[in-house]
Amino acid sequence: MRHPLQARRPLGRWALLSLLAATWWLAAPPAAAQDPDAPQASAPPEPPPAAQAAPPASPPQADGPPQAESPPQAESPPQTDGAPATDAAGAEASPSRAGGAAGGDRAERSPARREKPGATSSRSAPSKKRRGDINPCMTPDPGWGVYDRWSRAPSIGQMIMPHRGGVTKRGGFDVIIHFHGHEALRKEFVKTAEGAVLVGIDLGIGSGAYTSAFSAPYVFENLLDSIERAVAKKTGKKKAYVRKLGLSAWSAGYGAIEQILRQPAGKRVDALVLLDSLHAGYADEQQRKLKVAQIEPFIAFARRAAAGEAFMFMSHSSILPPGYASTAETADFIVKQLRGKPRGSSRRDVLGLDMIQRYDRGDFHVRGYTGNDKPDHCAHLGLMADVMRVHINPRWKTPKGRR
């Protein structure tokens, strides 16, 4: 039989070991204190700094000009012009109205950034005095002629149509859809248009906005449907339909037309008007080689027009934009694709434009002008009155509109 003290001896050893272990654990610092990067238990977690937030996505831009001229301002004090102007559209001897070309869009104005003159203008060149003392970017308003005021009926943009008339007995009507600077274009359109509907669309100051908006075919198809419904409602023709279709663009607006011409509905286009509007990117800027794929739809349409199957009018200034092809370069390239060569010309045209070259083949027409500043760019809108009078009116024979 063991002595009681001998039975308790092992317990004393374990108690001593346990006491030593507890003493060591109490003296050791917490693990968190040993890690300088560990968060303190008393401090709440910090939110991520605002500077680390992802920046908002930029809208996609088409290759070519990063931004183009904003539509000219609408406010236009009355001015007079005593200088006669010649036909800007094509006829060598026929007189033209010397009224002007530009005005902005009050109802559908482009976003801010108007302090930037745009990539297509010469920022250093001072504005020169123009014939007739009319600012092409702020021209007098000639009124509305036989047309109503702007309507928001289309799915995109605005439209004007005659008070009465302009539609065949079966409900057919003609329409021109213009991209960029539609109020300025309207001032020229109403001078000579005889009854065609005008739809104006302004989406921003860069071609990318137009390219993105019309990249899906249904957008343009829905636009045509909405125009037909609006004409049907106004005229009482239940089956109103687009008979002749034209597309027009100034400055950045060509981005929409490029997309439309690639789509099935683009085959319906009969007339194409580009007013200092077609640019392209460079495949090789040093060699001045264009990205031809970007302008292939325009080359194809020019071939159709040269063969008399459609109508196409192009104008270009002498503005040299930074980093992408000018309207002069794209026009010359298309002419070369037709194995043509522009011929020299010396003529005064609307709003102080001075023609230096031209090219005509079938129903394809190119007009080249001097000028490298913003007013020169705006002045090309003034060509629309003669384009309608000399070319489109005789070609379409649109039913007459009436007040």
Side-chain angles (χ1 to χ4, degrees), residues 2-13:
R2 288 187 178 182
H3 194 277
L5 294 179
Q6 291 179 343
R8 288 195 297 268
R9 191 172 300 165
L11 295 176
R13 292 175 184 168

Side-chain angles (χ1 to χ4, degrees), residues 143-207:
W144 295 79
V146 301
Y147 287 86
D148 285 334
R149 301 299 192 265
W150 290 112
S151 163
R152 293 280 185 177
S155 59
I156 302 177
Q158 306 176 61
M159 64 181 281
I160 60 172
M161 62 179 299
H163 291 280
R164 294 181 297 165
V167 183
T168 66
K169 293 181 180 180
R170 294 184 177 181
F173 64 94
D174 304 334
V175 58
I176 289 182
I177 302 175
H178 178 80
F179 300 93
H180 208 64
H182 72 277
E183 172 61 10
L185 193 282
R186 188 274 304 173
K187 294 181 182 180
E188 303 305 313
F189 179 85
V190 298
K191 293 177 182 177
T192 56
E194 297 180 344
V197 174
L198 174 65
V199 175
I201 297 174
D202 276 274
L203 298 178
I205 62 174
S207 61

Side-chain angles (χ1 to χ4, degrees), residues 6-22:
Q6 291 179 343
R8 288 195 297 268
R9 191 172 300 165
L11 295 176
R13 292 175 184 168
W14 285 111
L16 179 61
L17 291 175
S18 299
L19 179 62
L20 291 174

Side-chain angles (χ1 to χ4, degrees), residues 219-252:
V219 175
F220 186 63
E221 294 169 358
N222 289 348
L223 174 61
L224 295 179
D225 290 343
S226 68
I227 296 169
E228 290 177 339
R229 290 194 300 270
V231 173
K233 182 177 180 180
K234 181 174 176 59
T235 62
K237 305 280 187 181
K238 294 183 179 180
K239 296 183 179 180
Y241 64 94
V242 174
R243 191 184 69 150
K244 296 291 185 181
L245 173 62
L247 302 179
S248 172
W250 173 70
S251 195

Side-chain angles (χ1 to χ4, degrees), residues 249-270:
W250 173 70
S251 195
Y254 73 91
I257 295 180
E258 177 193 347
Q259 295 299 309
I260 293 169
L261 292 181
R262 296 181 187 276
Q263 300 165 5
K267 297 179 180 179
R268 301 178 58 182
V269 178
D270 179 72

